[in-house]
Amino acid sequence: MTQDVFVLVESNTTGTGRLFPAAARALGLHPVLLAADPSRYTAVGGAEVVRTDTDSVAAVVDACRHLAVGRRVAGVATSSDYYVETAAAAATALGLPANSPEDLAAVRDKGTQRSRLAAAGVRVPRFTVAGTVEEVLAAAEETGYPVVVKPVTGSGSLGVQLCADPVQAAGHARALLARGFDERGRPVPRRVTVEEFVSGPEYSAEVLDGTVAGITAKHLGAPPLFVETGHDFPAALPPAAHEAVTEAAEAAVRALGIALGPAHVELRLGPVGPVLIEVNPRLAGGWIPRLVREATGADLILATVAAFSGKPAPVAATVARGAAIRFVVAGDSGRLHGFEGVAHACAVPGVIDVETYREPGAEIVVGGDFRDRIGHVLARGASAAEAAEAAAEGARRISPSLTVRQEVSA
């Protein structure tokens, strides 16, 4: 019998990215990971790994055709924000299920995405795309401080900062515009967006095949950064707000052409209702798919693999409870000695998973983004509020021990 192969073009190296191979196997598929640097993926187990130039669509297509000798490639996808266009272009070339690579390129550019959403009547913050510090300052003056300044590409709160005045806006914009490459070593556009700051609680809608599967309440660290410190699922929203967020998220993915597979839609409930912050054409990070499964029984990872391999896998809730996660966030840079209180965190009723991400001896560098998260506590309860209380208590019991790096003055 011919073996069916599911191809992952790179992967996110933290969170649920490591679970995709198991989902593929559950659907009777053989998982293969194409990677430019396989050493990045020690935690993504259970997949055949093939070294490939994943920045080249032609190389990915060629690798898939080699894999198809004596086998059948059933689907090509990725769990990484950076490779959604490449995976879609390769799948399209091979006649496999995919969203339009051109639509995904527009989604990945936050300025283009915002323009398409606004043109479709989806409420977004006022924004300007800028390529110089002078343009940033002019846009910020017109928008009114505080403003959010962030790169036009990227994920995980990388480079996103709330700027209260021209000094902060100029300094942050100068640093962003000087960046030539992202954390994967890929070239980045020398452009940023300058956006109206929308006050109000933040949520994300987890969308599959154009339909909202659930809404997550998000917890953020202290301004001026936007580090996500925790998530609760399902969000405790009044019916009218739940409906408004659902309608906004589904309108957004329709406008952007994301009809197949997952989308992670971030919104804020502002004074005038839901405002779209951004749409990511992939599953959520931060272990949110795990929260959805613990709370409802629905497996979004399995459903994503099914969507891109042409297999039926409806997202069906089988239980109704709550789940929450709280992250252990590094407060200082320095050398890590270890973690205290992990066993005490595990002992909290409702806690079902405690994990630390760094080994003793690791150098911790606080950068103001998702990489500052160095562990998590995940809990389940009869409600999201009950789970959140347990996860927060567990996280409070964990303390990283490190030698703080001393800044050397000139």
Side-chain angles (χ1 to χ4, degrees):
M1 182 168 50
T2 301
Q3 184 181 48
D4 284 351
V5 174
F6 184 75
V7 176
L8 276 171
V9 182
E10 303 284 355
S11 170
N12 54 322
T13 53
T14 59
T16 50
R18 70 181 84 168
L19 303 181
F20 272 72
R25 288 194 300 274
L27 290 170
L29 302 169
H30 175 69
V32 176
L33 174 68
L34 304 185
D37 178 10
S39 67
R40 293 177 63 92
Y41 297 108
T42 55
V44 184
E48 178 185 345
V49 181
V50 177
R51 187 183 294 273
T52 309
D53 178 6
T54 48
D55 286 333
S56 165
V57 173
V60 170
V61 171
D62 188 55
C64 290
R65 286 179 172 148
H66 277 89
L67 288 168
V69 175
R71 303 188 285 191
R72 186 182 77 91
V73 175
V76 180
T78 182
S79 62
S80 169
D81 199 81
Y82 299 102
Y83 296 92
V84 290
E85 298 161 53
T86 302
T92 299
L94 294 165
L96 298 170
N99 290 303
S100 158
E102 292 76 22
D103 283 339
L104 293 173
V107 175
R108 287 269 299 129
D109 184 295
K110 292 177 173 53
T112 305
Q113 179 192 124
R114 285 278 176 77
S115 296
R116 288 182 62 169
L117 290 172
V122 179
R123 187 182 291 121
V124 298
R126 286 178 294 142
F127 74 98
T128 303
V129 178
T132 67
V133 173
E134 291 73 23
E135 290 174 355
V136 167
L137 291 176
E141 186 67 28
E142 182 178 352
T143 302
Y145 289 97
V147 293
V148 178
V149 179
K150 64 184 180 184
V152 295
T153 61
S155 62
S157 304
L158 286 162
V160 183
Q161 185 170 310
L162 184 66
C163 300
D165 55 44
V167 173
Q168 291 181 5
H172 186 54
R174 191 172 292 113
L176 291 179
L177 293 170
R179 292 174 66 231
F181 302 91
D182 61 26
E183 67 273 19
R184 291 262 184 165
R186 310 175 90 203
V188 295
R190 303 286 181 114
R191 291 176 287 117
V192 300
T193 62
V194 182
E195 304 173 4
E196 168 194 15
F197 174 65
V198 179
S199 61
E202 187 163 320
Y203 300 90
S204 65
E206 319 312 333
V207 180
L208 190 76
D209 296 339
T211 301
V212 170
I215 299 171
T216 307
K218 308 181 90 170
H219 298 265
L220 304 179
L225 303 175
F226 292 84
V227 179
E228 295 180 7
T229 59
H231 310 298
D232 303 338
F233 187 92
L237 282 168
H242 190 283
E243 182 179 358
V245 169
T246 298
E247 289 179 353
E250 292 181 353
V253 297
R254 281 197 303 272
L256 297 173
I258 310 173
L260 181 68
H264 175 59
V265 183
E266 298 178 327
L267 316 92
R268 284 202 169 204
L269 266 182
V272 294
V275 179
L276 260 290
I277 302 301
E278 66 183 50
V279 178
N280 302 282
R282 53 164 173 79
L283 278 177
W287 291 103
I288 289 174
R290 169 85 186 273
L291 298 185
V292 175
R293 180 163 57 82
E294 295 292 346
T296 70
D299 191 332
L300 296 183
I301 299 173
L302 190 76
T304 296
V305 174
F308 288 116
S309 57
K311 289 181 174 288
V315 178
T318 57
V319 293
R321 52 195 179 202
I325 192 169
R326 293 295 181 271
F327 294 101
V328 180
V329 181
D332 296 295
S333 299
R335 183 176 293 276
L336 180 69
H337 300 299
F339 293 88
E340 300 173 357
V342 172
H344 294 295
C346 293
V348 175
V351 167
I352 58 173
D353 182 40
V354 176
E355 186 175 345
T356 55
Y357 307 158
R358 305 293 185 86
E359 297 293 330
E363 283 291 332
I364 306 296
V365 179
V366 173
D369 55 58
F370 76 99
R371 292 171 295 186
D372 296 348
R373 302 189 308 215
I374 56 176
H376 75 243
V377 177
L378 193 150
R380 188 174 61 209
S383 66
E386 182 179 298
E389 186 177 344
E393 174 58 27
R396 280 192 292 268
R397 297 185 181 193
I398 298 177
S399 176
S401 172
L402 71 162
T403 300
V404 176
R405 178 180 302 152
Q406 300 297 319
E407 299 294 335
V408 179
S409 57

